[in-house]
Amino acid sequence: MDKKRILRQMEKLNRGLIAVKVEKGVYTGWRLLGTDPDEISFNLYRGGKMVNPEPITSSTNFLDKEGNKDSSYYIRPVINGVEQPPTEEVKVWEENFLPIPLNKPAGGLSPDGVNYTYSANDASVGDVDGDGEYEIILKWDPSNSHDNAHKGYTGNVYLDAYKLNGTQLWRIDLGKNIRAGAHYTQFMVYDLDGDGKAEIACKTADGTIDGTGKVIGDADADYRNKDGFILEGPEYFTIFDGETGKELVTTDYDPPRGNSSDWGDDEGNRVDRFLACIAYLDGERPSVVMCRGYYTRAVLAAYNWRNGELTKVWKFDSLEPGNEGYSGQGNHSVSVADVDNDGKDEIIYGSCVIDHNGKGLYTTGLGHGDAMHVGNLIPTRPGLEVFQVHEVPSENGTEIHDAATGEILWGIPSYEDVGRGLAADIDPRYEGVEVWSSTHWKTGGEGLYNSTTGEKISDQTPQSFNFAIWWDGDQLRELLDHDYDMETGIGVGKIDKWDYENGQLINLLTAEGTRSNNGTKGNPCLQADILGDWREEVVWRSDDSTSLRIYTTTDVTEHPIYTLMHDPVYRLGIAWQNVAYNQPPHTSYFLGHGMEKPPVPQIYAVEKKD
């Protein structure tokens, strides 16, 4: 098969132009698209006047020293010396973030007498109306949400859609029969049917109310037991229209509960551990994969939503004969990539990989873990690698393995549950990314390791294990985390840079007035290349959850890279980022110091169908 002949369906994005007031003028940035020709350049206009002396070729940003807060801008691409039509004109942000007002749900009183309120939680993006701009899909989390291991009723879970100007498009109420917590609602936002507009897919139940007010199933059913768990009653899988929130199709959720003990206990804990992702199983168009279980039994079911019909593609069950080695290998997260270079995606399900055809590809047998990173971590090796930390102590409690075969490239022993691990290029003196974990973090950690050699390069461990982000002007990655107060449980979003010469973190941004999500995990609502050039934006909620803030870099860079959202591994990483224990996205190519020019993505942009 010639992979170059298979083009992947991808969103048709606009240029995402932004303009931000900075000390020395106005910073501007815009997208280089994966479908752009190599010879493209750009002219930037302020108030109808071109501000660059010659077409911009070395980057997709520009510092306009004559600009001010009252200026307005548009760009015109230049191809073969001919200016193309202008983009929409944008106004200048007065700060380095865009505030988006939210319609915060009212709190309530649970059946056990607990008052609860709501805060903005995980988010995703998709172009739900086909205008080339992303909309934000936001999950609201009640203050009495629970981990599966804990008893208690929860408030209802809501999903909202917002345009970047703050217009609310719809609200979906998942109802009393969907419990609130990180492991329950994994919502996928993606253009599943190729009509140029994203859909929403998630688990639903009797009493779910779609964005038009229609009730799914029995509106009066209440399957909650005295402990707040929901261990009986029908479970559904629903595709919603992304523009209106309207239910498009509902079917029985597969995999069903079955025998609760098959999943690891009889307490309603491990039976309700859900994951989900989007994968191009045929190499050209996206499928949605809904999953259940990972401590023992693991089941994945793949679906296509095309031409108004939902069809099941395949189902993988670790209980089936021949699949026994895949039980107990799942993570609190999932990743997707074409690991075997056949043009079709695999699901990296923790310590095992499920092939595009629904068959097991391999398992390392190292078991469950809380953190995993998949990408071109070692650029001198062919293919992709997986960096993973594990819960069960072993000789390879922290390790890197070949993504295609599961071959352990190197590892270090662990003597405890390794809860966090991160992979990012933070030191230009070494080839590939650096990796570190939370092993013995209370006593300073185990140090920093080079991915290529497995060599320990520093005794100093960056005390930031949550997210990594491409933020400033170089090709290294910065660290996205929070300042967390253990007593109050309050985290304030921040971005730090690793000072590799002195072995310490240097703060680049502290987002005062924001809050992180999910306790010590310090997650933002979302990290993604939403606007501007290839550097990433970060979305945090305001301290009172009355708004979201989209923060952007204002550093000029001389590295022109096409939007990360047109890279297949990265774009699917944004889709699965909200799943369970959120993890940062990675690219299919090595993006770091000394990198080669990224390969041109083999994609086609979908036009909106009326």
Side-chain angles (χ1 to χ4, degrees), residues 19-28 62-69 71 73 92-94 554:
V20 185
K21 183 69 183 76
V22 293
E23 182 179 351
K24 296 182 179 180
V26 172
Y27 165 88
T28 61
F62 188 86
L63 178 61
D64 179 19
K65 296 180 180 180
E66 304 300 320
N68 58 57
K69 63 182 181 61
S71 300
Y73 294 87
V92 175
W93 302 2
E94 295 190 22
T554 56

Side-chain angles (χ1 to χ4, degrees), residues 63-331:
L63 178 61
D64 179 19
K65 296 180 180 180
E66 304 300 320
N68 58 57
K69 63 182 181 61
D70 298 318
S71 300
S72 60
Y73 294 87
Y74 62 85
I75 60 170
R76 297 188 70 169
V78 180
I79 300 176
N80 294 326
V82 179
E83 276 196 325
Q84 305 300 302
T87 65
E88 291 186 2
E89 201 163 16
V90 301
K91 297 185 180 301
V92 175
W93 302 2
E94 295 190 22
E95 299 182 84
N96 65 335
F97 64 85
L98 176 68
I100 300 176
L102 299 176
N103 176 19
K104 183 177 179 178
L109 181 69
S110 62
D112 54 356
V114 175
N115 287 292
Y116 60 88
T117 58
Y118 281 92
S119 60
N121 193 250
D122 293 334
S124 192
V125 290
D127 182 4
V128 303
D129 54 12
D131 65 354
E133 179 181 85
Y134 283 120
E135 282 73 45
I136 292 180
I137 312 302
L138 174 69
K139 182 179 79 168
W140 288 98
D141 200 36
S143 55
N144 61 349
S145 66
H146 287 294
D147 184 271
N148 302 52
H150 300 155
K151 298 178 181 180
Y153 291 90
T154 74
N156 290 13
V157 177
Y158 300 102
L159 296 176
D160 283 2
Y162 294 93
K163 293 189 71 63
L164 297 186
N165 64 10
T167 300
Q168 183 179 2
L169 299 179
W170 47 258
R171 169 167 291 167
I172 294 169
D173 178 356
L174 292 179
K176 64 175 71 76
N177 294 307
I178 294 291
R179 202 165 185 249
H183 300 288
Y184 292 100
T185 296
Q186 322 305 345
F187 60 101
M188 294 291 101
V189 181
Y190 215 84
D191 180 7
L192 298 172
D193 59 0
D195 67 351
K197 299 190 290 184
E199 288 77 40
I200 318 298
C202 67
K203 183 174 179 284
T204 57
D206 281 342
T208 294
I209 305 173
D210 79 0
T212 69
K214 177 187 174 183
V215 178
I216 295 173
D218 182 355
D220 297 321
D222 187 345
Y223 299 108
R224 296 172 294 182
N225 66 22
K226 61 181 178 59
D227 293 324
F229 291 109
I230 302 160
L231 300 178
E232 59 181 13
E235 301 175 286
Y236 305 131
F237 171 52
T238 301
I239 308 287
F240 297 94
D241 181 88
E243 189 170 12
T244 65
K246 176 184 177 182
E247 173 206 12
L248 296 175
V249 66
T250 295
T251 189
D252 290 337
Y253 188 86
D254 196 359
R257 294 186 190 95
N259 185 353
S260 180
S261 62
D262 287 342
W263 307 96
D265 59 52
D266 287 313
E267 302 169 357
N269 177 5
R270 296 180 174 186
V271 66
D272 278 354
R273 302 283 179 154
F274 299 100
L275 302 172
C277 60
I278 304 294
Y280 287 69
L281 301 174
D282 63 4
E284 182 178 0
R285 301 186 66 186
S287 303
V288 58
V289 183
M290 305 303 291
C291 318
R292 187 178 214 141
Y294 39 76
Y295 287 110
T296 49
R297 185 186 183 190
V299 184
L300 297 77
Y303 295 87
N304 286 342
W305 169 248
R306 298 173 186 174
N307 302 316
E309 293 187 3
L310 183 67
T311 57
K312 189 180 296 183
V313 182
W314 50 252
K315 181 176 177 178
F316 175 90
D317 189 340
S318 68
L319 284 188
E320 291 184 358
N323 292 341
E324 296 87 348
Y326 291 82
S327 289
Q329 302 303 310
N331 269 20

Side-chain angles (χ1 to χ4, degrees), residues 202-470:
C202 67
K203 183 174 179 284
T204 57
D206 281 342
T208 294
I209 305 173
D210 79 0
T212 69
K214 177 187 174 183
V215 178
I216 295 173
D218 182 355
D220 297 321
D222 187 345
Y223 299 108
R224 296 172 294 182
N225 66 22
K226 61 181 178 59
D227 293 324
F229 291 109
I230 302 160
L231 300 178
E232 59 181 13
E235 301 175 286
Y236 305 131
F237 171 52
T238 301
I239 308 287
F240 297 94
D241 181 88
E243 189 170 12
T244 65
K246 176 184 177 182
E247 173 206 12
L248 296 175
V249 66
T250 295
T251 189
D252 290 337
Y253 188 86
D254 196 359
R257 294 186 190 95
N259 185 353
S260 180
S261 62
D262 287 342
W263 307 96
D265 59 52
D266 287 313
E267 302 169 357
N269 177 5
R270 296 180 174 186
V271 66
D272 278 354
R273 302 283 179 154
F274 299 100
L275 302 172
C277 60
I278 304 294
Y280 287 69
L281 301 174
D282 63 4
E284 182 178 0
R285 301 186 66 186
S287 303
V288 58
V289 183
M290 305 303 291
C291 318
R292 187 178 214 141
Y294 39 76
Y295 287 110
T296 49
R297 185 186 183 190
V299 184
L300 297 77
Y303 295 87
N304 286 342
W305 169 248
R306 298 173 186 174
N307 302 316
E309 293 187 3
L310 183 67
T311 57
K312 189 180 296 183
V313 182
W314 50 252
K315 181 176 177 178
F316 175 90
D317 189 340
S318 68
L319 284 188
E320 291 184 358
N323 292 341
E324 296 87 348
Y326 291 82
S327 289
Q329 302 303 310
N331 269 20
H332 285 307
S333 61
V334 67
S335 189
V336 178
D338 174 16
V339 303
D340 55 7
N341 200 36
D342 65 356
K344 302 174 183 180
D345 285 335
E346 282 70 48
I347 294 90
I348 300 92
Y349 205 73
S351 295
C352 63
V353 171
I354 310 304
D355 207 349
H356 69 273
N357 58 8
K359 308 295 183 183
L361 186 63
Y362 69 81
T363 173
T364 67
L366 291 173
H368 169 72
D370 287 0
M372 176 176 67
H373 304 271
V374 181
N376 191 353
L377 309 180
I378 306 175
T380 54
R381 287 190 80 254
L384 306 178
E385 294 78 35
V386 179
F387 172 65
Q388 192 174 0
V389 298
H390 300 276
E391 190 167 287
V392 177
S394 75
E395 298 243 341
N396 293 301
T398 297
E399 50 85 17
I400 284 186
H401 61 266
D402 185 288
T405 66
E407 174 193 0
I408 306 297
L409 302 179
W410 62 265
I412 57 175
S414 65
Y415 308 98
E416 59 186 355
D417 174 359
V418 184
R420 308 283 168 83
L422 200 52
D425 186 16
I426 60 173
D427 191 330
R429 299 173 297 182
Y430 300 91
E431 185 179 86
V433 307
E434 285 66 55
V435 298
W436 63 104
S437 75
S438 60
T439 300
H440 301 309
W441 67 272
K442 291 182 179 179
T443 56
E446 286 289 296
L448 189 62
Y449 289 78
N450 175 246
S451 62
T452 302
T453 63
E455 172 192 5
K456 186 175 184 179
I457 61 175
S458 174
D459 289 328
Q460 303 299 315
T461 304
Q463 294 300 298
S464 181
F465 307 97
N466 289 325
F467 271 55
I469 183 170
W470 286 291

Side-chain angles (χ1 to χ4, degrees), residues 566-595:
H566 276 172
D567 177 72
V569 170
Y570 184 91
R571 182 62 187 93
L572 297 178
I574 300 308
W576 55 246
Q577 187 181 140
N578 68 74
V579 171
Y581 288 0
N582 307 20
Q583 298 287 285
H586 296 273
T587 53
S588 63
Y589 56 90
F590 175 69
L591 203 172
H593 180 74
M595 64 182 286

